[in-house]
Amino acid sequence: MTAALSLFALSFASCGDEEEEFPAQSNDQFAEYRNLKGNVSGVNIHVVETKIYTEEILDESAVEGLTDDEIADLIKSGNAPTIEEEYTYTESVQGTRVYMYNFDDWDKYGAAISKDSCVEHVITDEQGIARFEFGDDFFEEGLLTDYVFVVYDDNKKATRPAAITLKLGKLADATVYTTGEKATGAKYSKLFKTYAVQHVESDGQLTLPWLRDNSSSYFSITIPENTVSWYVQMTCSAATERSGLAIAADLANILDKRVGLVMSAVDKIATPDGTEACDFYVFDEENFIKWRNGNSASSLSIHKGYKSGIYQDYTHIEPGKYYLVFHNPNWSKVYVNYDLAIQVEE
């Protein structure tokens, strides 16, 4: 087993075989096609890629001693001194195929294994998740329950695999990175579960000063255990009036307790129009502290020119605090109204 585990420390190269042409079908159709009854075990593989975003910001140290008007003139003329700030973040990968191999086969052949030897293959959905379902036939006496799950990049190179043991009545969740990072270990939860919506905060409001006057501000959301997704409804405007957001009530109206919230349904919830465009970044607590102290930080996601809508997060659900940091690129104050809710497993 030691030799087998050592394989997972490597980035594997593909054997170079041609991509098979599989029929396009949903996960449910695929399970039916394979004559599986996905009622005793499951695996969700989240497929993500790491991206880098670089932004030019005003070099505060180079304009010390200048008046606000002088700085504003420099910015308007395009001659303001700037420095580059780099952020890394992850993004879900939709429409890519995840392959499932028997652990012993992968241990023997590694990335040189033929895709024809895969046990299952499922395409990631709009949330970047490949959902595998397993029936009683996977747990017959003497059959192996250890498997690996991989994705191949554009150069037919395999990602670092997630190793998962199928468990009766359990759903395993793991993350695989197309950009070479080590896959996360599997987390297990009850396969048959129900969901609920919890209101976190209502009628919140941020005031964003104009560009020169420290134009960043933030709020946080605390994520408890058993969270499966979280939602922030926002509007950005020049007015101070509250916008009457009610994301928790809207989510509760579309919630199926046995299925949970469906992304396409959440997208249909109406949000009042915003009038001013803002930028915001999502940080975990560690990187928020780095950012607040003026150090280089990695954001979980970046959103530019945001006026109104619902920010949904299905990936960054580890218990703890997450921060939404807003930047006002305008020459006047902007007010951000927000409402926070989470979806939890009961």
Side-chain angles (χ1 to χ4, degrees):
M1 181 61 73
T2 302
L5 293 176
S6 67
L7 286 173
F8 298 131
L10 304 174
S11 291
F12 299 102
S14 167
C15 62
D17 54 343
E18 293 298 319
E19 182 78 10
E20 295 92 340
E21 290 296 327
F22 295 107
Q25 45 198 335
S26 71
N27 292 348
D28 290 341
Q29 290 173 325
F30 185 73
E32 184 178 351
Y33 172 74
R34 291 299 299 266
N35 194 28
L36 298 176
K37 294 182 178 178
N39 58 356
V40 298
S41 181
V43 171
N44 286 347
I45 301 295
H46 302 248
V47 180
V48 300
E49 60 180 329
T50 300
K51 291 189 173 184
I52 298 175
Y53 173 77
T54 302
E55 181 180 31
E56 286 195 0
I57 62 173
L58 181 69
D59 186 353
E60 298 284 351
S61 64
V63 295
E64 287 184 3
L66 298 182
T67 66
D68 287 352
D69 289 340
E70 290 172 330
I71 294 173
D73 288 340
L74 279 174
I75 294 173
K76 289 179 180 178
S77 68
N79 295 320
T82 60
I83 56 176
E84 284 192 348
E85 192 156 3
E86 187 175 276
Y87 304 92
T88 60
Y89 62 102
T90 58
E91 195 169 274
S92 298
V93 181
Q94 303 177 22
T96 193
R97 196 179 305 278
V98 178
Y99 292 84
M100 170 185 172
Y101 296 101
N102 184 291
F103 184 94
D104 287 351
D105 289 342
W106 186 270
D107 182 30
K108 183 176 181 179
Y109 299 105
I113 194 170
S114 168
K115 291 179 183 176
D116 291 335
S117 300
C118 75
V119 179
E120 298 288 350
H121 50 82
V122 175
I123 296 175
T124 55
D125 60 17
E126 58 188 356
Q127 298 173 26
I129 302 174
R131 304 175 190 274
F132 293 80
E133 299 180 325
F134 307 104
D136 294 313
D137 51 337
F138 274 82
F139 295 90
E140 294 175 4
E141 187 175 355
L143 292 182
L144 297 175
T145 55
D146 296 329
Y147 297 90
V148 298
F149 297 81
V150 300
V151 171
Y152 295 88
D153 63 19
D154 293 339
N155 297 317
K156 297 184 173 58
K157 181 179 179 180
T159 59
R160 300 173 73 173
I164 296 177
T165 299
L166 301 187
K167 297 183 179 182
L168 275 168
K170 298 290 185 178
L171 175 67
D173 282 273
T175 300
V176 171
Y177 293 82
T178 63
T179 40
E181 294 88 343
K182 182 181 179 181
T184 66
K187 290 186 175 182
Y188 293 89
S189 59
K190 292 182 297 182
L191 181 61
F192 302 107
K193 48 193 174 184
T194 57
Y195 302 90
V197 172
Q198 294 181 1
H199 211 167
V200 177
E201 183 177 348
S202 61
D203 211 24
Q205 188 176 81
L206 277 184
T207 301
L208 302 183
W210 74 290
L211 186 63
R212 173 63 185 132
D213 298 331
N214 187 23
S215 60
S216 294
S217 190
Y218 64 88
F219 62 81
S220 65
I221 178 171
T222 300
I223 302 301
E225 294 282 352
N226 299 325
T227 298
V228 294
S229 55
W230 48 282
Y231 306 86
V232 184
Q233 189 174 30
M234 295 173 282
T235 63
C236 304
S237 67
T240 60
E241 289 85 1
R242 305 289 178 169
S243 53
L245 302 176
I247 184 65
D250 290 337
L251 292 175
N253 287 334
I254 63 172
L255 175 71
D256 183 329
K257 289 181 68 69
R258 289 298 302 270
V259 176
L261 292 165
V262 179
M263 187 177 185
S264 57
V266 175
D267 287 339
K268 295 177 182 178
I269 294 177
T271 300
D273 292 334
T275 60
E276 305 297 323
C278 296
D279 307 330
F280 75 89
Y281 306 80
V282 182
F283 290 99
D284 58 21
E285 189 159 30
E286 178 183 355
N287 282 286
F288 171 76
I289 293 172
K290 291 179 181 178
W291 170 83
R292 190 177 57 183
N293 292 335
N295 300 320
S296 179
S298 297
S299 62
L300 302 178
S301 62
I302 299 168
H303 303 267
K304 309 290 285 185
Y306 197 92
K307 289 186 177 181
S308 64
I310 299 174
Y311 171 77
Q312 309 170 50
D313 200 313
Y314 302 89
T315 304
H316 308 106
I317 53 177
E318 291 289 330
K321 275 191 173 182
Y322 294 83
Y323 294 79
L324 275 71
V325 176
F326 287 80
H327 173 68
N328 177 13
N330 303 289
W331 292 95
S332 59
K333 285 184 180 180
V334 171
Y335 300 91
V336 179
N337 292 305
Y338 61 92
D339 210 42
L340 309 180
I342 59 175
Q343 179 185 196
V344 297
E345 177 189 343
E346 292 183 315

